[in-house]
Amino acid sequence: MSTALKNYKYDPRAHFIFAVTEDGIAHIEETVRKISENGNTVSVNFYSKYGTSDPLRTKYEKRLLDEILRVRELFPETLASHPYYIEAMVTGKSHWGDFGYDVCPSVSVDHPQNAERIKNGNAVLPGFNAYASDCKTVNFCCTSGHCEDCRDSQAVMSWIMINQKRFVKDENLLKIWIEIAESYWHQFVWAHDFRYSAPSLQTSENLNLRNQHHLLKEVG
């Protein structure tokens, strides 16, 4: 990590993706702090353990969720992931239901094993296929196929985004959906200007970094 931080120090285009785990709870604050002090931003995804029967798993899950949310409150300008998304990613739960194969939108539409899933009425990503390394073989989905334990961040994000109808009937929920979408776009370099337009990111340090970036573009 030290090499990456050195390479991207004060680079406003750099955005880290931090894979949090139940075993690494003690390192979350330190990691986000280092990224913050380096002048970068970060989003979280979740490395979930497949097939574990640990009776303390629910306890670990709550500890992990509480710690991520606590650290986000400490570094709101650095940790871009939205609290709603963080909770859905860690727990697999939303205000309308639970994440799983029957609702996951990130399944390959041309894989024969997904034919019944696609017919069940829950949204899927139109035309989405996950391919093997030969670029020809269509895989079951974009991850492992262990749907009962899957917390793939992109799949969970797609699940939230594609179910916008679950948010539009309530003003507060609609605001949350928009904020989740904005937090997702934040990680992409093409959204650089957008990153610093949000009120929570209008810090003097970020504005200086933005101005420096525009100056470099003009000079170049």
Side-chain angles (χ1 to χ4, degrees):
M1 181 179 178
S2 59
T3 300
L5 290 173
K6 180 179 179 181
N7 288 341
Y8 296 108
K9 190 172 181 66
Y10 296 124
D11 188 338
R13 300 166 300 174
H15 183 81
F16 288 84
I17 305 297
F18 178 20
V20 295
T21 70
E22 294 163 346
D23 296 329
I25 293 174
H27 304 292
I28 294 174
E29 181 178 344
E30 177 188 9
T31 301
V32 175
R33 184 184 302 278
K34 286 182 177 179
I35 293 171
S36 178
E37 292 172 350
N38 207 59
N40 309 123
T41 55
V42 60
S43 295
V44 291
N45 61 17
F46 178 32
Y47 182 79
S48 57
K49 299 178 181 178
Y50 297 130
T52 181
S53 57
D54 190 332
L56 296 178
R57 182 171 183 180
T58 302
K59 182 179 179 180
Y60 296 151
E61 180 182 276
K62 185 179 186 308
R63 285 179 56 206
L64 177 64
L65 175 59
D66 288 347
E67 180 64 3
I68 301 171
L69 294 177
R70 184 187 72 82
V71 172
R72 189 184 186 279
E73 288 185 3
L74 290 176
F75 302 98
E77 295 88 5
T78 301
L79 182 47
S81 298
H82 193 278
Y84 187 104
Y85 159 74
I86 293 171
E87 184 166 358
M89 178 185 66
V90 174
T91 68
K93 298 181 182 300
S94 66
H95 69 275
W96 75 89
D98 296 345
F99 182 73
Y101 175 64
D102 61 324
V103 297
C104 178
S106 300
V107 295
S108 295
V109 296
D110 290 332
H111 196 287
Q113 285 182 254
N114 292 324
E116 292 302 314
R117 156 66 186 92
I118 293 169
K119 292 178 183 178
N120 73 6
N122 291 316
V124 295
L125 297 177
F128 177 84
N129 281 313
Y131 289 91
S133 58
D134 61 8
C135 298
K136 296 179 181 179
T137 304
V138 178
N139 286 336
F140 178 77
C141 68
C142 62
T143 56
S144 65
H146 293 273
C147 301
E148 66 280 1
D149 297 318
C150 179
R151 294 292 183 271
D152 177 72
S153 60
Q154 299 303 307
V156 171
M157 179 62 76
S158 295
W159 176 50
I160 294 172
M161 289 292 95
I162 208 167
N163 278 287
Q164 64 268 41
K165 64 182 180 180
R166 308 282 188 176
F167 294 81
V168 296
K169 294 182 180 180
D170 180 272
E171 181 179 348
N172 290 330
L173 285 175
L174 177 58
K175 182 175 182 291
I176 287 172
W177 187 89
I178 293 171
E179 290 173 347
I180 297 170
E182 290 175 343
S183 71
Y184 178 71
W185 297 333
H186 183 99
Q187 65 188 302
F188 298 105
V189 68
W190 52 260
H192 171 267
D193 288 336
F194 164 79
R195 290 185 189 180
Y196 301 105
S197 65
S200 64
L201 297 177
Q202 293 281 7
T203 65
S204 58
E205 180 179 12
N206 282 340
L207 288 173
N208 286 336
L209 289 173
R210 183 185 182 190
N211 291 336
Q212 290 172 17
H213 178 65
H214 282 296
L215 180 61
L216 288 173
K217 288 198 299 184
E218 291 172 3
V219 172

